[in-house]
Short mmCIF file of all heavy atoms in Angstrom, two decimals:
data_model
loop_
_atom_site.label_atom_id
_atom_site.label_comp_id
_atom_site.label_asym_id
_atom_site.label_seq_id
_atom_site.Cartn_x
_atom_site.Cartn_y
_atom_site.Cartn_z
N TYR E 12 161.04 154.77 66.55
CA TYR E 12 160.88 155.65 65.43
C TYR E 12 161.33 157.08 65.73
O TYR E 12 161.51 157.87 64.82
CB TYR E 12 159.43 155.64 64.95
CG TYR E 12 159.02 154.30 64.40
CD1 TYR E 12 158.26 153.42 65.15
CD2 TYR E 12 159.43 153.91 63.14
CE1 TYR E 12 157.87 152.20 64.64
CE2 TYR E 12 159.05 152.69 62.62
CZ TYR E 12 158.27 151.83 63.38
OH TYR E 12 157.92 150.63 62.86
N ALA E 13 161.49 157.40 67.00
CA ALA E 13 161.89 158.75 67.37
C ALA E 13 163.27 159.08 66.81
O ALA E 13 163.52 160.22 66.40
CB ALA E 13 161.87 158.91 68.88
N ASP E 14 164.17 158.08 66.79
CA ASP E 14 165.51 158.30 66.25
C ASP E 14 165.44 158.74 64.79
O ASP E 14 166.11 159.69 64.37
CB ASP E 14 166.35 157.02 66.33
CG ASP E 14 166.54 156.52 67.75
OD1 ASP E 14 166.30 157.28 68.69
OD2 ASP E 14 166.93 155.35 67.89
N PHE E 15 164.62 158.02 64.02
CA PHE E 15 164.51 158.33 62.60
C PHE E 15 163.84 159.68 62.37
O PHE E 15 164.20 160.40 61.44
CB PHE E 15 163.75 157.21 61.87
CG PHE E 15 164.51 155.92 61.86
CD1 PHE E 15 164.08 154.85 62.63
CD2 PHE E 15 165.66 155.77 61.09
CE1 PHE E 15 164.79 153.66 62.63
CE2 PHE E 15 166.37 154.58 61.10
CZ PHE E 15 165.93 153.52 61.86
N ALA E 16 162.88 160.02 63.21
CA ALA E 16 162.23 161.32 63.11
C ALA E 16 163.23 162.44 63.38
O ALA E 16 163.26 163.45 62.65
CB ALA E 16 161.06 161.41 64.09
N ALA E 17 164.08 162.26 64.38
CA ALA E 17 165.09 163.28 64.69
C ALA E 17 166.10 163.41 63.55
O ALA E 17 166.50 164.53 63.20
CB ALA E 17 165.79 162.94 66.00
N LEU E 18 166.50 162.29 62.96
CA LEU E 18 167.42 162.35 61.81
C LEU E 18 166.77 163.07 60.64
O LEU E 18 167.42 163.87 59.95
CB LEU E 18 167.86 160.94 61.41
CG LEU E 18 168.78 160.22 62.38
CD1 LEU E 18 168.95 158.77 61.97
CD2 LEU E 18 170.13 160.91 62.47
N TRP E 19 165.50 162.80 60.40
CA TRP E 19 164.79 163.45 59.30
C TRP E 19 164.65 164.95 59.56
O TRP E 19 164.86 165.76 58.66
CB TRP E 19 163.42 162.80 59.10
CG TRP E 19 162.69 163.39 57.92
CD1 TRP E 19 162.85 163.08 56.61
CD2 TRP E 19 161.68 164.40 57.98
NE1 TRP E 19 162.01 163.84 55.84
CE2 TRP E 19 161.26 164.66 56.67
CE3 TRP E 19 161.08 165.11 59.02
CZ2 TRP E 19 160.29 165.60 56.35
CZ3 TRP E 19 160.10 166.05 58.71
CH2 TRP E 19 159.72 166.28 57.39
N LEU E 20 164.30 165.32 60.80
CA LEU E 20 164.19 166.75 61.14
C LEU E 20 165.53 167.45 60.99
O LEU E 20 165.59 168.60 60.53
CB LEU E 20 163.65 166.91 62.55
CG LEU E 20 162.17 166.56 62.74
CD1 LEU E 20 161.82 166.54 64.23
CD2 LEU E 20 161.29 167.53 61.99
N ALA E 21 166.61 166.77 61.35
CA ALA E 21 167.94 167.35 61.19
C ALA E 21 168.24 167.57 59.71
O ALA E 21 168.80 168.61 59.33
CB ALA E 21 168.99 166.46 61.82
N LYS E 22 167.88 166.62 58.87
CA LYS E 22 168.10 166.75 57.43
C LYS E 22 167.34 167.97 56.89
O LYS E 22 167.90 168.76 56.11
CB LYS E 22 167.65 165.49 56.71
CG LYS E 22 167.80 165.57 55.22
CD LYS E 22 167.30 164.31 54.54
CE LYS E 22 167.38 164.46 53.03
NZ LYS E 22 166.86 163.29 52.34
N GLN E 23 166.09 168.11 57.29
CA GLN E 23 165.30 169.24 56.84
C GLN E 23 165.91 170.56 57.30
O GLN E 23 165.95 171.54 56.56
CB GLN E 23 163.85 169.12 57.35
CG GLN E 23 163.12 167.90 56.84
CD GLN E 23 163.03 167.86 55.34
OE1 GLN E 23 162.64 168.82 54.69
NE2 GLN E 23 163.44 166.74 54.75
N ALA E 24 166.40 170.59 58.53
CA ALA E 24 167.01 171.80 59.08
C ALA E 24 168.27 172.17 58.30
O ALA E 24 168.49 173.35 57.98
CB ALA E 24 167.34 171.61 60.56
N VAL E 25 169.10 171.19 57.96
CA VAL E 25 170.32 171.47 57.19
C VAL E 25 169.96 172.02 55.82
O VAL E 25 170.58 172.97 55.35
CB VAL E 25 171.19 170.20 57.07
CG1 VAL E 25 172.28 170.38 56.03
CG2 VAL E 25 171.81 169.85 58.41
N GLN E 26 168.94 171.46 55.19
CA GLN E 26 168.53 171.95 53.87
C GLN E 26 168.06 173.39 53.92
O GLN E 26 168.13 174.10 52.92
CB GLN E 26 167.44 171.05 53.29
CG GLN E 26 167.95 169.69 52.90
CD GLN E 26 166.86 168.75 52.44
OE1 GLN E 26 165.67 168.95 52.71
NE2 GLN E 26 167.26 167.69 51.75
N GLN E 27 167.63 173.85 55.09
CA GLN E 27 167.19 175.23 55.27
C GLN E 27 168.26 176.08 55.97
O GLN E 27 167.98 177.18 56.44
CB GLN E 27 165.89 175.26 56.07
CG GLN E 27 164.75 174.56 55.34
CD GLN E 27 163.51 174.43 56.20
OE1 GLN E 27 163.42 174.98 57.30
NE2 GLN E 27 162.54 173.71 55.71
N ASN E 28 169.48 175.54 56.04
CA ASN E 28 170.62 176.22 56.69
C ASN E 28 170.35 176.58 58.14
O ASN E 28 170.87 177.56 58.65
CB ASN E 28 171.04 177.46 55.90
CG ASN E 28 171.65 177.10 54.57
OD1 ASN E 28 172.34 176.09 54.45
ND2 ASN E 28 171.39 177.90 53.56
N GLN E 29 169.55 175.77 58.82
CA GLN E 29 169.28 175.96 60.24
C GLN E 29 170.15 174.96 61.02
O GLN E 29 169.67 173.97 61.57
CB GLN E 29 167.80 175.75 60.53
CG GLN E 29 166.91 176.75 59.86
CD GLN E 29 165.44 176.48 60.13
OE1 GLN E 29 165.05 175.43 60.62
NE2 GLN E 29 164.61 177.46 59.81
N PHE E 30 171.44 175.26 61.07
CA PHE E 30 172.40 174.33 61.66
C PHE E 30 172.20 174.13 63.16
O PHE E 30 172.46 173.05 63.67
CB PHE E 30 173.82 174.77 61.35
CG PHE E 30 174.13 174.76 59.88
CD1 PHE E 30 174.66 175.88 59.26
CD2 PHE E 30 173.90 173.64 59.11
CE1 PHE E 30 174.95 175.87 57.91
CE2 PHE E 30 174.18 173.61 57.76
CZ PHE E 30 174.71 174.73 57.15
N THR E 31 171.74 175.15 63.85
CA THR E 31 171.50 175.01 65.30
C THR E 31 170.41 173.98 65.56
O THR E 31 170.57 173.10 66.43
CB THR E 31 171.11 176.36 65.93
OG1 THR E 31 172.17 177.30 65.67
CG2 THR E 31 170.90 176.24 67.42
N LEU E 32 169.32 174.05 64.82
CA LEU E 32 168.24 173.09 64.98
C LEU E 32 168.72 171.68 64.60
O LEU E 32 168.41 170.71 65.28
CB LEU E 32 167.04 173.49 64.12
CG LEU E 32 165.84 172.55 64.15
CD1 LEU E 32 165.32 172.36 65.57
CD2 LEU E 32 164.75 173.07 63.23
N ALA E 33 169.48 171.58 63.52
CA ALA E 33 170.01 170.27 63.11
C ALA E 33 170.91 169.70 64.21
O ALA E 33 170.82 168.50 64.52
CB ALA E 33 170.79 170.42 61.81
N ASN E 34 171.76 170.53 64.79
CA ASN E 34 172.63 170.07 65.89
C ASN E 34 171.81 169.56 67.06
O ASN E 34 172.15 168.53 67.66
CB ASN E 34 173.55 171.19 66.35
CG ASN E 34 174.77 171.33 65.49
OD1 ASN E 34 175.29 170.36 64.97
ND2 ASN E 34 175.23 172.56 65.31
N GLN E 35 170.73 170.24 67.39
CA GLN E 35 169.89 169.81 68.51
C GLN E 35 169.29 168.43 68.24
O GLN E 35 169.30 167.56 69.13
CB GLN E 35 168.76 170.81 68.74
CG GLN E 35 169.23 172.13 69.29
CD GLN E 35 168.12 173.17 69.31
OE1 GLN E 35 167.05 172.98 68.72
NE2 GLN E 35 168.37 174.29 69.98
N GLN E 36 168.79 168.23 67.03
CA GLN E 36 168.18 166.95 66.69
C GLN E 36 169.22 165.82 66.70
O GLN E 36 168.96 164.73 67.21
CB GLN E 36 167.50 167.03 65.32
CG GLN E 36 166.32 167.96 65.28
CD GLN E 36 165.20 167.53 66.20
OE1 GLN E 36 164.91 166.34 66.35
NE2 GLN E 36 164.56 168.49 66.84
N LEU E 37 170.38 166.09 66.12
CA LEU E 37 171.42 165.06 66.06
C LEU E 37 171.97 164.74 67.44
O LEU E 37 172.25 163.58 67.75
CB LEU E 37 172.52 165.49 65.10
CG LEU E 37 172.08 165.57 63.63
CD1 LEU E 37 173.15 166.25 62.80
CD2 LEU E 37 171.74 164.20 63.08
N ASN E 38 172.13 165.75 68.27
CA ASN E 38 172.59 165.51 69.64
C ASN E 38 171.56 164.69 70.42
O ASN E 38 171.93 163.88 71.27
CB ASN E 38 172.88 166.83 70.36
CG ASN E 38 174.25 167.35 70.01
OD1 ASN E 38 175.22 166.61 69.98
ND2 ASN E 38 174.33 168.64 69.71
N TRP E 39 170.28 164.88 70.13
CA TRP E 39 169.25 164.06 70.77
C TRP E 39 169.46 162.59 70.41
O TRP E 39 169.38 161.72 71.27
CB TRP E 39 167.86 164.53 70.34
CG TRP E 39 166.79 163.82 71.11
CD1 TRP E 39 166.20 164.22 72.27
CD2 TRP E 39 166.21 162.54 70.79
NE1 TRP E 39 165.29 163.27 72.70
CE2 TRP E 39 165.27 162.23 71.80
CE3 TRP E 39 166.39 161.64 69.76
CZ2 TRP E 39 164.53 161.06 71.80
CZ3 TRP E 39 165.64 160.46 69.76
CH2 TRP E 39 164.72 160.19 70.77
N VAL E 40 169.74 162.32 69.14
CA VAL E 40 169.98 160.94 68.71
C VAL E 40 171.19 160.36 69.43
O VAL E 40 171.15 159.24 69.94
CB VAL E 40 170.16 160.84 67.18
CG1 VAL E 40 170.55 159.43 66.76
CG2 VAL E 40 168.88 161.27 66.46
N VAL E 41 172.26 161.12 69.49
CA VAL E 41 173.49 160.66 70.16
C VAL E 41 173.21 160.34 71.63
O VAL E 41 173.69 159.34 72.15
CB VAL E 41 174.62 161.71 70.03
CG1 VAL E 41 175.80 161.36 70.92
CG2 VAL E 41 175.06 161.82 68.57
N THR E 42 172.43 161.14 72.27
CA THR E 42 172.15 160.98 73.70
C THR E 42 171.13 159.88 74.01
O THR E 42 171.28 159.16 74.99
CB THR E 42 171.64 162.31 74.30
OG1 THR E 42 172.60 163.33 74.03
CG2 THR E 42 171.42 162.20 75.79
N HIS E 43 170.11 159.73 73.16
CA HIS E 43 168.98 158.87 73.50
C HIS E 43 168.87 157.57 72.71
O HIS E 43 168.13 156.68 73.14
CB HIS E 43 167.68 159.66 73.35
CG HIS E 43 167.55 160.78 74.30
ND1 HIS E 43 167.93 162.06 74.00
CD2 HIS E 43 167.11 160.81 75.58
CE1 HIS E 43 167.71 162.84 75.04
NE2 HIS E 43 167.22 162.10 76.02
N SER E 44 169.54 157.46 71.60
CA SER E 44 169.36 156.26 70.78
C SER E 44 170.03 155.05 71.41
O SER E 44 171.14 155.14 71.95
CB SER E 44 169.92 156.46 69.38
OG SER E 44 169.72 155.30 68.60
N SER E 45 169.37 153.92 71.31
CA SER E 45 169.96 152.67 71.79
C SER E 45 170.60 151.88 70.64
O SER E 45 171.10 150.78 70.86
CB SER E 45 168.87 151.81 72.46
OG SER E 45 167.88 151.48 71.51
N GLN E 46 170.59 152.45 69.45
CA GLN E 46 171.14 151.79 68.28
C GLN E 46 172.50 152.39 67.92
O GLN E 46 172.56 153.54 67.45
CB GLN E 46 170.17 151.90 67.11
CG GLN E 46 168.83 151.27 67.39
CD GLN E 46 167.89 151.37 66.21
OE1 GLN E 46 168.31 151.30 65.07
NE2 GLN E 46 166.62 151.54 66.50
N PRO E 47 173.58 151.66 68.12
CA PRO E 47 174.93 152.21 67.87
C PRO E 47 175.10 152.75 66.44
O PRO E 47 175.77 153.75 66.25
CB PRO E 47 175.85 151.02 68.12
CG PRO E 47 175.08 150.11 69.00
CD PRO E 47 173.64 150.29 68.64
N MET E 48 174.48 152.11 65.48
CA MET E 48 174.62 152.57 64.10
C MET E 48 174.04 153.98 63.93
O MET E 48 174.65 154.84 63.28
CB MET E 48 173.89 151.61 63.15
CG MET E 48 174.00 152.02 61.69
SD MET E 48 173.18 150.86 60.60
CE MET E 48 171.48 151.35 60.83
N LEU E 49 172.91 154.25 64.56
CA LEU E 49 172.30 155.56 64.45
C LEU E 49 173.08 156.61 65.23
O LEU E 49 173.17 157.77 64.80
CB LEU E 49 170.84 155.52 64.91
CG LEU E 49 169.91 154.67 64.06
CD1 LEU E 49 168.49 154.71 64.61
CD2 LEU E 49 169.94 155.10 62.60
N VAL E 50 173.66 156.21 66.35
CA VAL E 50 174.50 157.14 67.12
C VAL E 50 175.70 157.56 66.28
O VAL E 50 176.01 158.76 66.17
CB VAL E 50 174.96 156.50 68.45
CG1 VAL E 50 176.01 157.36 69.14
CG2 VAL E 50 173.76 156.28 69.36
N GLU E 51 176.37 156.60 65.64
CA GLU E 51 177.53 156.94 64.82
C GLU E 51 177.13 157.75 63.60
O GLU E 51 177.85 158.66 63.20
CB GLU E 51 178.29 155.68 64.41
CG GLU E 51 179.03 155.07 65.57
CD GLU E 51 180.04 154.02 65.15
OE1 GLU E 51 180.49 154.05 63.99
OE2 GLU E 51 180.39 153.17 65.97
N LEU E 52 175.99 157.46 63.02
CA LEU E 52 175.51 158.24 61.88
C LEU E 52 175.27 159.68 62.30
O LEU E 52 175.67 160.62 61.60
CB LEU E 52 174.22 157.62 61.33
CG LEU E 52 173.59 158.34 60.15
CD1 LEU E 52 174.53 158.35 58.96
CD2 LEU E 52 172.27 157.68 59.79
N ALA E 53 174.65 159.88 63.45
CA ALA E 53 174.41 161.23 63.96
C ALA E 53 175.73 161.95 64.24
O ALA E 53 175.87 163.14 63.95
CB ALA E 53 173.55 161.18 65.22
N GLN E 54 176.71 161.24 64.79
CA GLN E 54 178.02 161.85 65.05
C GLN E 54 178.68 162.29 63.74
O GLN E 54 179.26 163.38 63.68
CB GLN E 54 178.92 160.87 65.79
CG GLN E 54 178.50 160.62 67.21
CD GLN E 54 179.29 159.49 67.86
OE1 GLN E 54 179.58 158.48 67.24
NE2 GLN E 54 179.61 159.67 69.13
N LEU E 55 178.60 161.46 62.72
CA LEU E 55 179.18 161.84 61.43
C LEU E 55 178.47 163.05 60.84
O LEU E 55 179.12 163.94 60.27
CB LEU E 55 179.12 160.66 60.46
CG LEU E 55 180.03 159.49 60.79
CD1 LEU E 55 179.76 158.31 59.87
CD2 LEU E 55 181.50 159.91 60.70
N ARG E 56 177.18 163.09 60.99
CA ARG E 56 176.43 164.26 60.47
C ARG E 56 176.74 165.52 61.27
O ARG E 56 176.82 166.61 60.71
CB ARG E 56 174.93 163.95 60.46
CG ARG E 56 174.59 162.92 59.40
CD ARG E 56 173.11 162.66 59.33
NE ARG E 56 172.84 161.67 58.29
CZ ARG E 56 171.64 161.21 58.01
NH1 ARG E 56 170.58 161.66 58.67
NH2 ARG E 56 171.48 160.31 57.06
N LEU E 57 176.95 165.38 62.58
CA LEU E 57 177.37 166.53 63.38
C LEU E 57 178.73 167.04 62.90
O LEU E 57 178.96 168.25 62.82
CB LEU E 57 177.43 166.15 64.86
CG LEU E 57 176.09 166.06 65.59
CD1 LEU E 57 176.25 165.33 66.91
CD2 LEU E 57 175.51 167.44 65.80
N ALA E 58 179.62 166.13 62.57
CA ALA E 58 180.93 166.52 62.06
C ALA E 58 180.80 167.26 60.73
O ALA E 58 181.49 168.26 60.49
CB ALA E 58 181.83 165.30 61.90
N ARG E 59 179.93 166.79 59.86
CA ARG E 59 179.72 167.45 58.57
C ARG E 59 179.18 168.86 58.76
O ARG E 59 179.58 169.79 58.04
CB ARG E 59 178.78 166.63 57.71
CG ARG E 59 179.41 165.33 57.23
CD ARG E 59 178.45 164.50 56.42
NE ARG E 59 178.12 165.18 55.18
CZ ARG E 59 177.19 164.75 54.34
NH1 ARG E 59 176.51 163.65 54.60
NH2 ARG E 59 176.95 165.42 53.24
N ILE E 60 178.28 169.04 59.72
CA ILE E 60 177.76 170.37 60.00
C ILE E 60 178.87 171.28 60.51
O ILE E 60 178.99 172.44 60.11
CB ILE E 60 176.59 170.32 60.99
CG1 ILE E 60 175.37 169.66 60.33
CG2 ILE E 60 176.24 171.70 61.52
CD1 ILE E 60 174.24 169.35 61.28
N ALA E 61 179.71 170.76 61.39
CA ALA E 61 180.82 171.55 61.92
C ALA E 61 181.76 171.98 60.79
O ALA E 61 182.24 173.13 60.77
CB ALA E 61 181.58 170.77 62.99
N ILE E 62 182.01 171.11 59.84
CA ILE E 62 182.85 171.47 58.69
C ILE E 62 182.18 172.58 57.88
O ILE E 62 182.83 173.55 57.47
CB ILE E 62 183.12 170.24 57.79
CG1 ILE E 62 184.02 169.24 58.52
CG2 ILE E 62 183.72 170.63 56.45
CD1 ILE E 62 185.43 169.73 58.79
N ALA E 63 180.87 172.46 57.68
CA ALA E 63 180.13 173.49 56.93
C ALA E 63 180.18 174.84 57.64
O ALA E 63 180.13 175.88 57.00
CB ALA E 63 178.69 173.05 56.73
N GLU E 64 180.30 174.80 58.95
CA GLU E 64 180.38 176.03 59.75
C GLU E 64 181.83 176.49 59.97
O GLU E 64 182.07 177.37 60.78
CB GLU E 64 179.70 175.82 61.10
CG GLU E 64 178.22 175.59 61.01
CD GLU E 64 177.57 175.40 62.37
OE1 GLU E 64 178.11 174.63 63.20
OE2 GLU E 64 176.52 176.01 62.60
N GLN E 65 182.76 175.86 59.24
CA GLN E 65 184.19 176.21 59.35
C GLN E 65 184.73 175.99 60.76
O GLN E 65 185.48 176.81 61.30
CB GLN E 65 184.41 177.68 58.94
CG GLN E 65 183.89 178.02 57.55
CD GLN E 65 184.63 177.26 56.46
OE1 GLN E 65 185.83 177.14 56.50
NE2 GLN E 65 183.89 176.74 55.50
N LYS E 66 184.37 174.86 61.37
CA LYS E 66 184.82 174.50 62.72
C LYS E 66 185.47 173.12 62.67
O LYS E 66 184.93 172.14 63.18
CB LYS E 66 183.66 174.50 63.70
CG LYS E 66 182.97 175.84 63.84
CD LYS E 66 181.77 175.74 64.76
CE LYS E 66 181.06 177.07 64.87
NZ LYS E 66 179.84 176.95 65.68
N PRO E 67 186.66 173.02 62.07
CA PRO E 67 187.27 171.69 61.89
C PRO E 67 187.63 170.98 63.19
O PRO E 67 187.51 169.76 63.27
CB PRO E 67 188.50 171.98 61.05
CG PRO E 67 188.79 173.42 61.26
CD PRO E 67 187.48 174.09 61.51
N GLN E 68 188.05 171.70 64.21
CA GLN E 68 188.40 171.05 65.48
C GLN E 68 187.16 170.44 66.13
O GLN E 68 187.22 169.35 66.70
CB GLN E 68 189.08 172.04 66.43
CG GLN E 68 190.44 172.49 65.95
CD GLN E 68 191.41 171.31 65.83
OE1 GLN E 68 191.28 170.29 66.50
NE2 GLN E 68 192.39 171.45 64.97
N GLN E 69 186.06 171.16 66.04
CA GLN E 69 184.81 170.63 66.59
C GLN E 69 184.38 169.39 65.80
O GLN E 69 183.89 168.43 66.37
CB GLN E 69 183.72 171.69 66.54
CG GLN E 69 182.45 171.27 67.21
CD GLN E 69 181.39 172.36 67.19
OE1 GLN E 69 181.55 173.39 66.55
NE2 GLN E 69 180.30 172.13 67.89
N ALA E 70 184.59 169.42 64.50
CA ALA E 70 184.24 168.27 63.65
C ALA E 70 185.01 167.03 64.09
O ALA E 70 184.45 165.94 64.16
CB ALA E 70 184.52 168.59 62.19
N LEU E 71 186.28 167.18 64.37
CA LEU E 71 187.09 166.04 64.81
C LEU E 71 186.57 165.45 66.11
O LEU E 71 186.61 164.25 66.31
CB LEU E 71 188.55 166.46 64.96
CG LEU E 71 189.32 166.74 63.68
CD1 LEU E 71 190.70 167.30 63.99
CD2 LEU E 71 189.41 165.49 62.83
N ALA E 72 186.07 166.30 66.98
CA ALA E 72 185.56 165.83 68.27
C ALA E 72 184.30 164.97 68.10
O ALA E 72 184.02 164.11 68.93
CB ALA E 72 185.25 167.02 69.18
N PHE E 73 183.55 165.18 67.03
CA PHE E 73 182.33 164.42 66.81
C PHE E 73 182.57 163.05 66.19
O PHE E 73 181.72 162.18 66.26
CB PHE E 73 181.38 165.18 65.88
CG PHE E 73 180.69 166.34 66.54
CD1 PHE E 73 180.79 167.60 65.98
CD2 PHE E 73 179.94 166.18 67.69
CE1 PHE E 73 180.16 168.68 66.56
CE2 PHE E 73 179.31 167.26 68.28
CZ PHE E 73 179.42 168.51 67.71
N LEU E 74 183.73 162.85 65.59
CA LEU E 74 183.96 161.59 64.89
C LEU E 74 184.02 160.42 65.87
O LEU E 74 184.63 160.53 66.94
CB LEU E 74 185.26 161.66 64.09
CG LEU E 74 185.25 162.66 62.94
CD1 LEU E 74 186.61 162.68 62.27
CD2 LEU E 74 184.17 162.33 61.93
N PRO E 75 183.39 159.31 65.52
CA PRO E 75 183.43 158.14 66.41
C PRO E 75 184.86 157.65 66.61
O PRO E 75 185.65 157.61 65.66
CB PRO E 75 182.61 157.09 65.64
CG PRO E 75 181.80 157.85 64.66
CD PRO E 75 182.59 159.08 64.33
N THR E 76 185.19 157.31 67.84
CA THR E 76 186.56 156.88 68.15
C THR E 76 186.62 155.43 68.63
O THR E 76 187.70 154.95 68.94
CB THR E 76 187.17 157.79 69.23
OG1 THR E 76 186.33 157.74 70.38
CG2 THR E 76 187.31 159.21 68.75
N GLN E 77 185.50 154.77 68.67
CA GLN E 77 185.50 153.40 69.17
C GLN E 77 186.19 152.47 68.19
O GLN E 77 186.06 152.60 66.97
CB GLN E 77 184.06 152.91 69.36
CG GLN E 77 183.31 153.70 70.40
CD GLN E 77 181.85 153.27 70.47
OE1 GLN E 77 181.40 152.48 69.67
NE2 GLN E 77 181.14 153.82 71.43
N LYS E 78 186.93 151.52 68.72
CA LYS E 78 187.65 150.55 67.89
C LYS E 78 186.69 149.68 67.10
O LYS E 78 186.99 149.30 65.98
CB LYS E 78 188.53 149.68 68.80
CG LYS E 78 189.32 148.64 68.06
CD LYS E 78 190.72 149.09 67.88
CE LYS E 78 191.54 147.92 67.33
NZ LYS E 78 192.31 148.29 66.20
N ASN E 79 185.53 149.41 67.63
CA ASN E 79 184.57 148.55 66.96
C ASN E 79 183.52 149.34 66.18
O ASN E 79 182.37 148.95 66.09
CB ASN E 79 183.89 147.61 67.95
CG ASN E 79 183.14 148.38 69.03
OD1 ASN E 79 183.24 149.58 69.12
ND2 ASN E 79 182.40 147.66 69.84
N SER E 80 183.92 150.45 65.60
CA SER E 80 183.01 151.27 64.85
C SER E 80 182.36 150.49 63.72
O SER E 80 183.02 149.69 63.05
CB SER E 80 183.75 152.48 64.26
OG SER E 80 182.90 153.20 63.39
N ILE E 81 181.11 150.71 63.49
CA ILE E 81 180.40 149.99 62.44
C ILE E 81 180.85 150.44 61.05
O ILE E 81 180.60 149.76 60.06
CB ILE E 81 178.88 150.19 62.57
CG1 ILE E 81 178.53 151.66 62.46
CG2 ILE E 81 178.37 149.56 63.82
CD1 ILE E 81 177.07 151.92 62.23
N PHE E 82 181.54 151.56 60.98
CA PHE E 82 181.96 152.08 59.70
C PHE E 82 183.39 151.69 59.34
O PHE E 82 183.94 152.16 58.37
CB PHE E 82 181.80 153.60 59.66
CG PHE E 82 180.36 154.02 59.71
CD1 PHE E 82 179.81 154.54 60.86
CD2 PHE E 82 179.53 153.84 58.61
CE1 PHE E 82 178.48 154.92 60.92
CE2 PHE E 82 178.19 154.21 58.66
CZ PHE E 82 177.67 154.75 59.82
N GLU E 83 184.01 150.82 60.11
CA GLU E 83 185.38 150.38 59.81
C GLU E 83 185.37 149.36 58.70
O GLU E 83 184.53 148.56 58.54
CB GLU E 83 186.05 149.79 61.04
CG GLU E 83 186.48 150.86 62.00
CD GLU E 83 187.27 150.27 63.17
OE1 GLU E 83 187.40 149.04 63.29
OE2 GLU E 83 187.74 151.05 63.96
#
């Protein structure tokens, strides 16, 4: 449940324009989750935050690059 809690906290942080806190929560999911779907979801959300912060190159770095991506 910790993964879902971190995703929810990140959502709340984004709604309050606290992008640094949202990044911390999402990076925690990427680092600690054992569920590939949640890792990719967190990476996509990190990319969206980077776009909102006008950092397109950073956004590209967050996008999943695995051939077997669940979002293909």
